[in-house]
């Protein structure tokens, strides 16, 4: 296969959620793995519902996930291309005007239902003469335009679902243009995919039925271009639902990428969950998107809807943090003024204790700022202070110090260690003191053992 050219094509009508992120990441990581191209396309031909601020928010959310497009464009800038394609379809007799109102169509559907027939558009508009159309227009009716399907079985080899086929006769001729002259998603999508040479469309399985229509549109437009271009491959992934089983929607804001970010979850964990849940690859923490790309296999995606459990994500996020290298977080630490010679050792010392990245701020205060020590047993702490070893300290200093203290006081276990932890860190629990002690240093340790803020 040539280098893949894929695209993620959200309509900017709300904030993207974990299910949309799944589509975006599957495309982006596929391109990354196979050194292809990833296009971000905003399907914003619905002027009523599309908003520029949503488009911008989607870019922010994708950037946070690490999804970096090679190109970004908006359909609203490309209307001339769609007009040209519509004209070509009209000339080829594949796009025809229809005048039924929504109520008339509804009545037809009811009648079909009553007779036990499938609710497929009856093509009545194809029977209209020029005189009929002129009369309808004189009444003030404006046409919407339908694509005339060929009644044949459309087949494709879906990279997720395998051999797939749809009988086009079971489908209504789809409306491509609304009465007001605006485009529904179908035609612009196919025109853009052809124009940008998209050769693989990875998207949710809610689009499976659209695929038959779109393959026919590709074929019609390719024929118009004298055979230039090719029908892309398709991969329809399963959809994610909420933990209680409801479908996700851009409108409700549930499980939006923005809300997950605000909860302090790691973007890599969100990405790993979005991609791996509902596949045969077990959910596991990854150290980079490259690692996630390597684990990606479209053939491993399951075919059933999968529930997304946020509790699982919190746990994955913590485990992801625990494995991140200092290089991976250096800039994020620096953004919280955690930098300098201690920063690398600090990260390795505390990462295993973090539930969320922002916990570093408190631990940095313990090693580099001021805390109020908890002095439960002043006499013991004074003894401890008196036998603090000389600096420089390393990870053996703790054992050396507490050994002396144990011999001197006869204390051991929790009675020995816990008061020291409370005094040195102000916390009941935390990273190993052997690694924290050298970072805290003798000046602070000594002051805290005396019960002073330091
Ligand atoms: N705008 C469409 C959607 O968000 C794109 C579908 C597609 O990828 O073709 O569902």
């Amino acid at each position: 296969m040539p280098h893949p050219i894929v695209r993620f094509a959200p309509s900017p009508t709300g904030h993207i959620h974990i299910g949309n992120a799944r589509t975006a990441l599957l495309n982006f990581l596929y391109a990354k793995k196979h050194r292809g191209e990833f296009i971000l396309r905003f399907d914003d031909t619905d002027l009523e519902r599309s908003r520029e601020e949503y488009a911008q928010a989607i870019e922010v959310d994708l950037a946070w996930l690490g999804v970096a497009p090679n190109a970004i464009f908006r359909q609203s800038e490309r209307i001339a291309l769609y007009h040209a394609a519509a004209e070509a379809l009209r000339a080829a007799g594949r796009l025809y005007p229809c005048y039924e109102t929504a109520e008339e169509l509804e009545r037809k559907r009811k009648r079909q239902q009553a007779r036990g027939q499938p609710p497929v558009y009856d093509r009545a508009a194809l029977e209209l003469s020029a005189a009929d159309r002129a009369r309808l227009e004189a009444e003030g009716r404006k046409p919407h335009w339908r694509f005339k399907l060929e009644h044949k079985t459309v087949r494709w080899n879906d990279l997720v679902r395998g051999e797939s086929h749809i009988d086009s006769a079971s489908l209504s001729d789809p409306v491509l243009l609304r009465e007001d002259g605006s485009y529904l998603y179908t035609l612009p999508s196919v025109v853009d995919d052809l124009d940008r040479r998209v050769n693989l469309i990875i998207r949710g399985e809610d689009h499976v039925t659209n695929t038959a229509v779109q393959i026919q549109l590709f074929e019609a437009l390719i024929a118009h271009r004298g055979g230039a271009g090719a029908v892309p491959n398709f991969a329809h992934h399963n959809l994610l639902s909420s933990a209680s089983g409801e479908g996700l929607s851009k409108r409700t804001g549930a499980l939006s990428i923005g809300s997950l970010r605000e909860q302090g979850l790691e973007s890599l964990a969100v990405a790993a969950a979005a991609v791996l849940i509902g596949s045969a690859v077990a959910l596991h923490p990854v150290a980079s998107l490259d690692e996630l790309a390597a684990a990606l296999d479209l053939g491993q995606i399951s075919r059933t809807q999968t529930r997304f459990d946020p509790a699982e994500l919190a746990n994955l996020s913590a485990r992801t943090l625990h494995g991140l290298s200092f290089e991976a977080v250096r800039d994020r630490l620096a953004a919280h003024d955690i930098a300098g010679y201690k920063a690398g050792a600090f990260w390795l010392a505390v990462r295993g204790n973090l539930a969320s990245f922002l916990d570093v701020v408190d631990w940095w205060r313990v090693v580099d700022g001021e805390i109020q020590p908890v002095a439960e047993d002043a006499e013991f702490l004074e003894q401890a202070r008196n036998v603090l070893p000389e600096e420089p300290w390393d990870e053996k200093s703790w054992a050396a110090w507490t050994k002396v203290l144990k011999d001197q006081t006869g204390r051991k276990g929790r009675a020995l260690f816990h008061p020291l932890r409370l005094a040195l860190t102000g916390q009941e629990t935390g990273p190993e003191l052997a690694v924290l002690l050298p970072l805290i240093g003798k000046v602070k340790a000594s002051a805290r053992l005396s019960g002073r803020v330091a």
Side-chain angles (χ1 to χ4, degrees):
M1 198 178 144
H3 285 313
I5 303 177
V6 296
R7 84 304 191 271
F8 173 55
S11 47
T13 54
H15 294 285
I16 54 169
H17 52 63
I18 189 87
N20 305 127
R22 180 177 184 76
T23 311
L25 279 153
L26 288 174
N27 278 287
F28 173 67
L29 296 177
Y30 191 91
K32 196 175 176 63
K33 182 169 175 176
H34 300 282
R35 286 188 306 244
E37 195 184 322
F38 170 79
I39 298 168
L40 171 60
R41 183 184 87 202
F42 288 111
D43 287 1
D44 59 349
T45 56
D46 182 344
L47 299 173
E48 293 262 300
R49 290 174 54 222
S50 299
R51 298 258 183 287
E52 181 53 29
E53 61 260 35
Y54 287 133
Q56 284 170 18
I58 290 170
E59 287 190 44
V60 169
D61 289 344
L62 292 177
W64 179 70
L65 287 167
V67 171
N70 299 102
I72 303 178
F73 66 89
R74 288 169 169 63
Q75 291 193 321
S76 55
E77 296 156 357
R78 297 163 61 86
I79 301 291
L81 278 178
Y82 315 142
H83 286 340
E87 220 21 75
L89 293 173
R90 273 188 203 105
R94 299 292 298 275
L95 191 63
Y96 62 97
C98 302
Y99 295 86
E100 293 92 343
T101 61
E103 294 76 43
E104 284 163 351
L105 290 172
E106 186 50 35
R107 276 202 297 277
K108 284 189 194 206
R109 269 194 292 269
K110 289 243 167 74
R111 273 201 302 275
Q112 287 169 319
Q113 218 172 11
R115 292 190 203 124
Q117 292 166 345
V120 176
Y121 176 60
D122 62 6
R123 293 186 160 173
L126 278 177
E127 309 300 323
L128 297 174
S129 65
D132 294 333
R133 288 201 292 270
R135 182 179 41 78
L136 288 162
E137 302 215 4
E139 281 172 15
R141 295 219 194 181
K142 291 216 162 49
H144 54 275
W145 295 78
R146 288 188 191 256
F147 177 55
K148 191 175 166 209
L149 292 170
E150 287 173 19
H151 284 173
K152 62 178 186 182
T153 300
V154 174
R155 298 178 189 281
W156 73 96
N157 187 6
D158 198 291
L159 271 64
V160 175
R161 300 161 63 90
E163 287 299 335
S164 305
H165 60 88
I166 289 178
D167 174 10
S168 306
S170 68
L171 305 174
S172 295
D173 288 340
V175 178
L176 301 190
L177 272 134
R178 298 185 186 88
E179 270 167 42
D180 64 2
S182 67
Y183 289 91
L184 282 103
Y185 136 83
T186 310
L187 179 68
S189 179
V190 170
V191 168
D192 287 331
D193 289 337
L194 258 185
D195 182 60
R196 301 303 295 239
R197 296 189 170 78
V198 168
N199 52 20
L200 172 60
I201 294 177
I202 305 173
R203 61 184 176 188
E205 65 187 11
D206 48 337
H207 286 289
V208 167
T209 3
N210 292 339
T211 300
V213 166
Q214 291 178 11
I215 288 177
Q216 288 210 21
L217 260 180
F218 275 109
E219 288 169 349
L221 294 175
I222 290 168
H224 170 69
R225 292 157 53 134
V231 179
N233 287 313
F234 290 87
H236 291 95
H237 63 76
N238 57 354
L239 300 181
L240 301 182
S241 65
S242 72
S244 50
E246 294 119 46
L248 302 174
S249 148
K250 281 209 203 88
R251 253 158 287 173
T252 62
L255 288 169
S256 75
I257 297 305
S259 71
L260 299 176
R261 179 172 60 237
E262 274 153 31
Q263 285 165 37
L265 293 162
E266 285 300 294
S267 63
L268 263 178
V270 175
V275 169
L276 299 177
I277 282 180
S279 82
V281 182
L283 186 57
H284 64 276
V286 293
S288 68
L289 287 181
D290 282 310
E291 190 184 327
L292 190 57
L296 173 69
D297 180 351
L298 294 176
Q300 297 284 317
I301 295 175
S302 111
R303 292 190 51 176
T304 51
Q305 178 156 321
T306 301
R307 290 181 189 221
F308 186 85
D309 182 358
E312 224 175 332
L313 183 55
N315 177 284
L316 182 71
S317 179
R319 288 193 291 144
T320 300
L321 269 176
H322 303 172
L324 290 181
S325 70
F326 174 56
E327 279 64 42
V329 295
R330 186 198 299 265
D331 293 346
R332 294 168 68 191
L333 290 171
H336 293 283
D337 289 325
I338 300 176
Y341 71 97
K342 280 203 249 195
F346 164 76
W347 173 251
L348 295 182
V350 302
R351 64 178 182 177
N353 279 81
L354 305 175
S356 137
F357 183 78
L358 276 185
D359 298 346
V360 292
V361 172
D362 292 332
W363 286 112
W364 185 247
R365 197 172 306 122
V366 169
V367 305
D368 203 65
E370 291 194 338
I371 59 150
Q372 173 70 57
V374 178
E376 279 189 343
D377 184 341
E379 198 181 319
F380 169 64
L381 295 177
E382 186 59 22
Q383 272 179 306
R385 194 176 71 84
N386 286 332
V387 294
L388 274 172
E390 288 306 314
E391 287 186 311
W393 287 350
D394 60 22
E395 292 195 4
K396 296 200 192 80
S397 310
W398 167 257
W401 176 39
T402 51
K403 168 88 172 54
V404 173
L405 203 51
K406 177 181 174 190
D407 292 345
Q408 211 174 71
T409 62
R411 290 185 186 228
K412 57 183 189 213
R414 188 176 160 86
L416 174 66
F417 301 127
H418 196 61
L420 298 177
R421 174 175 291 283
L422 285 174
L424 291 171
T425 71
Q427 304 292 325
E428 288 281 345
T429 57
E432 273 182 61
L433 285 163
V435 289
L436 281 185
L437 188 67
L439 295 168
I440 293 170
K442 188 163 180 178
V443 173
K444 275 188 200 305
S446 177
R448 289 175 188 173
L449 291 166
S450 307
R452 281 187 280 124
V453 172

